[in-house]
Amino acid sequence: EVQLQASGGGLVQAGRSLRLSCAASGLSFDDHAIGWFRQAPGKEREAVSYISSSDGSTYYANSVKGRFTISSDNARNIAYLQMNSLKPEDTAVYYCAIDVSGLGIWFRWDDYDYWGQGTLVTVSS
């Protein structure tokens, strides 16, 4: 069974950093794509970042460019989201997901096949 486990969330003050992790079991990251999404209460799920495990290409939402960095350790099947200069508006449940084909549109959540349970990030003012 394929499982994704997102971890690393917590409560931080604005301006501080967190690193989220997404560990996969039952599926190799090779030739797949990993996306990070977030959802705040009352808001739609939105794409945050993306990385292709095959070619290393990355994408970011405009709201996080310059602050967040996505990376992957394909040997360990772990993806990361380094979040710097956090803002209160970053508060959300963060989900990692895998697009098995690696051919989906990076920001479209229904192109992903597997999802982690999410980890809560709360940024205080």
Side-chain angles (χ1 to χ4, degrees):
E1 181 180 359
V2 175
Q3 292 186 330
L4 299 178
Q5 181 174 309
S7 61
L11 173 63
V12 298
Q13 291 182 326
R16 296 186 182 272
S17 299
L18 282 175
R19 188 177 75 163
L20 306 183
S21 299
C22 176
S25 61
L27 181 71
S28 172
F29 280 177
D30 292 347
D31 300 321
H32 304 316
I34 301 97
W36 283 97
F37 292 76
R38 67 186 182 187
Q39 188 166 27
K43 296 183 179 180
E44 298 290 329
R45 182 177 299 183
E46 63 175 349
V48 177
S49 190
Y50 163 102
I51 186 167
S52 169
S53 295
S54 59
D55 63 15
S57 61
T58 60
Y59 299 97
Y60 297 92
N62 288 336
S63 59
V64 306
K65 285 182 179 178
R67 299 189 297 120
F68 291 10
T69 303
I70 190 171
S71 62
S72 65
D73 182 344
N74 290 348
R76 300 182 64 192
N77 292 324
I78 302 175
Y80 303 96
L81 185 68
Q82 178 67 44
M83 306 186 296
N84 298 328
S85 301
L86 284 163
K87 304 175 181 180
E89 51 263 44
D90 295 318
T91 295
V93 176
Y94 284 71
Y95 300 90
C96 63
I98 292 179
D99 171 12
V100 173
S101 72
L103 300 176
I105 298 174
W106 79 271
F107 55 82
R108 195 163 70 184
W109 65 267
D110 57 354
D111 281 354
Y112 292 79
D113 303 287
Y114 301 102
W115 291 83
Q117 85 287 359
T119 184
L120 176 63
V121 173
T122 303
V123 184
S124 63
S125 301

